[in-house]
Amino acid sequence: QVQLQESGPGLVKPSQTLSLTCTVSGVSIASRYYFWTWIRQPPGKGRDVLGAIGYSGSSYYSPSLNRRATISRDLPENQFTLQLASVTPEDTAVYYCARGLRLNLNYVEQDYDYWGQGTQVTVSS
């Protein structure tokens, strides 16, 4: 059974770096041909794809983040991590990790078959 679980701080101050980890069980994140993806949903808005790391270890990012994001992985721990630099209150959202069936930086619900439960991140001083 595939499971994903996000972890990280719920409150981050403006200008700091947000760091979230997704722990995956039931499948290796190196398994072909999945894309391990970070998605967020700001309050009152739709979901946006932030980026993904593929089975080969290559990372892909949404241009809307202006190069603030870094996605990496830890194979022995079967985890992948999002770091988002220089956060502002506009980065306040529920953050999800999900398993993508293909690489798509535009959100399409059908592209994802397993999700974490989501974690609320608030950017505030």
Side-chain angles (χ1 to χ4, degrees), residues 12-117:
V12 184
K13 296 187 181 210
S15 81
Q16 291 186 340
T17 296
L18 164 67
S19 184
L20 296 174
T21 295
C22 183
T23 301
V24 180
S25 60
V27 64
S28 169
I29 61 174
S31 297
R32 298 183 176 184
Y33 291 96
Y34 300 116
F35 294 87
W36 302 94
T37 307
W38 287 100
I39 294 163
R40 71 181 180 185
Q41 185 167 19
K45 297 183 179 180
R47 292 178 176 176
D48 294 314
V49 175
L50 303 180
I53 186 164
Y55 55 92
S56 66
S58 297
S59 300
Y60 309 86
Y61 303 102
S62 169
S64 67
L65 295 177
N66 296 319
R67 301 184 179 182
R68 294 192 293 127
T70 301
I71 299 175
S72 58
R73 66 181 185 178
D74 182 336
L75 288 180
E77 295 295 325
N78 214 38
Q79 296 174 332
F80 63 105
T81 298
L82 169 70
Q83 291 188 304
L84 186 63
S86 304
V87 297
T88 72
E90 286 66 41
D91 293 308
T92 294
V94 178
Y95 285 73
Y96 300 91
C97 57
R99 188 175 78 169
L101 303 176
R102 64 180 184 130
L103 177 64
N104 188 355
L105 296 179
N106 296 303
Y107 178 73
V108 175
E109 185 176 358
Q110 293 86 342
D111 287 344
Y112 306 96
D113 59 351
Y114 288 97
W115 291 77
Q117 64 183 20

